[in-house]
Amino acid sequence: MTHYDVIVLGLGGMGSAAACRLARRGQRVLGIDQFAPVHNRGSSHGGSRITRQAYFEDTAYVPLLLRAHELWEGIERDSQREIFTRCGGLVLGRPDSRPVAGSQLSAQKFDLAHEMLDAAGIRRRFPTLNPADDEVALYEPGAGLVVPEASVAAHLQLAARAGAELHHEEKVYTWNASTSGVRVGTSHNHYTAEQLVVCPGAWAPELLADLGVEFRIERQIQYWFAPDGGIEPYRRHPVYIWNTEDGRDLYGFPARHGPRDGVKVAIFGGGRTCTADTIDRTVSDEEVADMATTVAPRLPTLPGRFLRAATCLYTNTPDAHFVIAPHPGQDRVTVACGFSGHGFKFVPVVGEILADLVVDGGTSHPIALFDPARFA
């Protein structure tokens, strides 16, 4: 039986990046995922994810985003795949709302290129949008979108090219670590390695029950509508996050990487609690109607005609910050989970961090915010 340097559990966004970075650093890597490559059962699908650097969630994320943007370029070049589209991005709402004020704070602290627009300026520059008179926007020209499926495919491609052994459609049932190594039991076999990296996505409650983090798995819905008058105004459209008067965050995309006549919109968070294996993937008429009611006053040519919807999964931590760290109770185990619906833009730098932690025993990246000990 082959003994590996590292086994990576989960080959979605984070796990594929970890397998790639570890293999490129000369590690004998085994990656295992319970589904086929680039599947739609977890959190790494749907055609688009927003990426931005003026980060309102916490200024501590900004250095990681600066590095992630550098790494996306290299992954695109090496894989010959289109992953990152820089189309600009808006964060809209009242000036004192957390998204607007927090984005402005990060932009100023890190000297990120940005503009502040009042309502009239928003309407003039972006006529698809109809803000209230007391709403403003931060415009970030470096923001854009990444394609999750292309990212996973590229990282798997480059991991295999660097020598990683990748097993798909193989479910992990058990893992354990001891002073002599780690052992993983799957639907197919048992495997041993020096170290283990666990990137379980929405299966974190099952695979990391001993981590001491109370994860909440949330059902998220992505919608595509065909706007009245056609999609031409949306082809060169910015991504946007719009904090509404009821405190929800509406977000959307240009007309790319979806149905031919459609544009994608969604509401961040607020979904039903579920598990990764029991999620209801049927979207009701009432849910479509609620989304349509939310977008109608803000984007006048939407909702237009409903095209389709898709569900995915958020793995939320109690404070909505990530968990990226050595397992506090298990030597030889490193974890990356709890990305709380805003993690995909960090994929390449998370892969780099995990490789640092495994190979070097530490990382120069600022990850103190992501220590699970904060929940102890």
Side-chain angles (χ1 to χ4, degrees):
M1 180 169 59
T2 302
H3 182 75
Y4 301 90
D5 293 323
V6 193
I7 298 175
V8 178
L9 301 188
L11 294 173
M14 304 305 176
S16 63
C20 173
R21 295 292 166 186
L22 285 161
R24 285 181 153 193
R25 293 183 66 170
Q27 299 290 293
R28 291 170 297 169
V29 175
L30 170 64
I32 307 174
D33 196 281
Q34 63 180 316
F35 299 115
V38 198
H39 61 80
N40 64 356
R41 313 306 291 171
S43 307
S44 300
H45 62 280
S48 53
R49 295 288 186 275
I50 289 175
T51 185
R52 52 198 165 89
Q53 294 178 332
Y55 219 59
F56 63 81
E57 289 83 349
D58 196 298
T59 58
Y61 287 93
V62 177
L64 300 177
L65 289 161
L66 296 173
R67 178 59 176 157
H69 279 214
E70 296 173 353
L71 293 172
W72 284 122
E73 294 179 7
I75 292 296
E76 284 189 316
R77 180 186 63 248
D78 295 344
S79 67
Q80 295 295 295
R81 296 176 185 267
E82 180 186 344
I83 303 171
F84 175 31
T85 299
R86 185 176 283 104
C87 58
L90 291 161
V91 177
L92 304 98
R94 291 188 170 86
D96 60 350
S97 66
R98 179 175 175 245
V100 173
S103 298
Q104 191 172 13
L105 176 64
S106 284
Q108 292 171 342
K109 181 174 180 178
F110 289 91
D111 196 25
L112 303 173
H114 70 287
E115 299 176 61
M116 297 304 300
L117 305 174
D118 61 12
I122 297 166
R123 297 187 201 106
R124 184 171 57 253
R125 290 268 295 277
F126 307 102
T128 53
L129 307 179
N130 183 36
D133 289 341
D134 63 347
E135 290 183 309
V136 301
L138 180 141
Y139 176 67
E140 182 184 354
L145 64 90
V146 294
V147 182
E149 294 90 343
S151 169
V152 174
H155 282 105
L156 292 175
Q157 170 190 338
L158 297 175
R161 184 186 298 173
E165 183 179 330
L166 305 176
H167 293 191
H168 287 89
E169 299 181 282
E170 184 169 348
K171 186 172 178 62
V172 171
Y173 288 109
T174 62
W175 65 263
N176 60 75
S178 67
T179 55
S180 60
V182 299
R183 183 176 176 87
V184 174
T186 77
S187 55
H188 290 40
N189 211 333
H190 285 84
Y191 307 97
T192 62
E194 293 299 307
Q195 297 197 64
L196 180 66
V197 173
V198 186
C199 300
W203 286 264
E206 291 80 25
L207 287 174
L208 292 172
D210 63 343
L211 189 60
V213 180
E214 188 176 337
F215 297 107
R216 186 178 78 85
I217 309 305
E218 178 184 325
R219 174 179 175 269
Q220 174 74 358
I221 309 174
Q222 307 166 77
Y223 301 84
W224 287 263
F225 292 92
D228 294 333
I231 62 170
E232 197 59 38
Y234 293 88
R235 291 192 188 279
R236 300 180 64 82
H237 202 274
V239 297
Y240 57 90
I241 298 172
W242 201 325
N243 184 249
T244 64
E245 65 276 359
D246 61 359
R248 299 194 296 173
D249 289 331
L250 166 70
Y251 65 97
F253 298 83
R256 299 175 66 94
H257 308 292
R260 185 182 63 183
D261 299 324
V263 294
K264 177 180 167 183
V265 294
I267 295 289
F268 180 84
R272 299 199 298 263
T273 299
C274 63
T275 74
D277 293 319
T278 63
I279 177 176
D280 179 2
R281 296 192 182 274
T282 301
V283 177
S284 69
D285 292 343
E286 291 77 13
E287 289 169 320
V288 175
D290 178 66
M291 187 74 251
T293 299
T294 301
V295 300
R298 296 174 177 87
L299 293 96
T301 61
L302 289 177
R305 178 169 52 90
F306 172 66
L307 296 176
R308 70 178 180 91
T311 57
C312 69
L313 294 159
Y314 284 0
T315 307
N316 297 319
T317 64
D319 61 6
H321 294 309
F322 308 158
V323 175
I324 309 173
H327 192 299
Q330 300 282 355
D331 291 341
R332 300 176 179 268
V333 180
T334 305
V335 299
C337 54
F339 289 94
S340 303
H342 64 112
F344 206 92
K345 60 185 72 67
F346 297 87
V347 157
V349 72
V350 170
E352 186 171 72
I353 290 166
L354 293 171
D356 288 346
L357 293 174
V358 168
V359 177
D360 302 330
T363 181
S364 61
H365 289 297
I367 62 168
L369 181 63
F370 311 137
D371 190 337
R374 69 189 189 272
F375 299 119

